[in-house]
Amino acid sequence: MNDCIFCKIVAGEIPCRKLYEDEDVLAFHDIHPVAPVHFMLIPKAHVASLAECDPSHRDVLGKLLLLAPKLAREQGLGDGFRTVINTGRGGGQEVFHLHVHVIGGGGPRPL
Ligand code: AMP
Ligand code: ZN
């Protein structure tokens, strides 16, 4: 996955504004935020999209979703937030390393 930009972020080869990290997951601010708060959660191990996930990804998928509200609260989004997972070209995915966008702070329906 040499050419994967998010794998390079995981490896520390490209900088990011990190919010959270553990052995399985990394969270960082989106470089082009679409709302006052816009960050993403990714698995550290490369998987291209939700469509490539299989049962071996169950735990990390659960972890990503459970972290979303926790980190959102820490970013001031206690009132709510939007989650987006773009999957495949037809789903508007641009970076082919699975990521969960967390977006908020821009009114009732930011994006
Ligand atoms: P998607 O369309 O769901 O694949 O979204 C890809 C997202 O990655 C976009 O919102 C980009 O702004 C974001 N992005 C691309 N490169 C970087 C980077 N180096 N650091 C942070 N976010 C990035
Ligand atoms: Zn990757």
Side-chain angles (χ1 to χ4, degrees):
M1 306 308 154
N2 329 348
D3 274 347
C4 174
I5 189 167
F6 287 178
C7 281
K8 288 183 176 162
I9 287 176
V10 169
E13 292 164 13
I14 292 177
C16 73
R17 288 175 57 216
K18 193 187 299 181
L19 285 177
Y20 174 86
E21 180 173 22
D22 66 27
E23 63 275 25
D24 304 312
V25 169
L26 180 67
F28 53 93
H29 292 279
D30 198 292
I31 204 166
H32 297 303
V34 299
V37 178
H38 183 180
F39 64 88
M40 58 183 88
L41 284 146
I42 70 169
K44 283 190 170 178
H46 182 88
V47 59
S49 82
L50 202 55
E52 273 74 34
C53 288
D54 61 38
S56 75
H57 298 97
R58 192 187 317 264
D59 284 355
V60 78
L61 287 170
K63 209 162 176 177
L64 294 172
L65 290 184
L66 288 170
L67 275 164
K70 180 175 187 293
L71 299 182
R73 269 193 304 275
E74 289 174 11
Q75 293 300 308
L77 301 180
D79 198 34
F81 56 89
R82 187 171 166 93
T83 43
V84 175
I85 306 175
N86 296 320
T87 302
R89 299 214 179 274
Q93 187 175 1
E94 290 177 351
V95 175
F96 283 81
H97 180 130
L98 173 65
H99 50 281
V100 179
H101 295 262
V102 176
I103 299 159
R109 180 144 181 200
L111 198 58

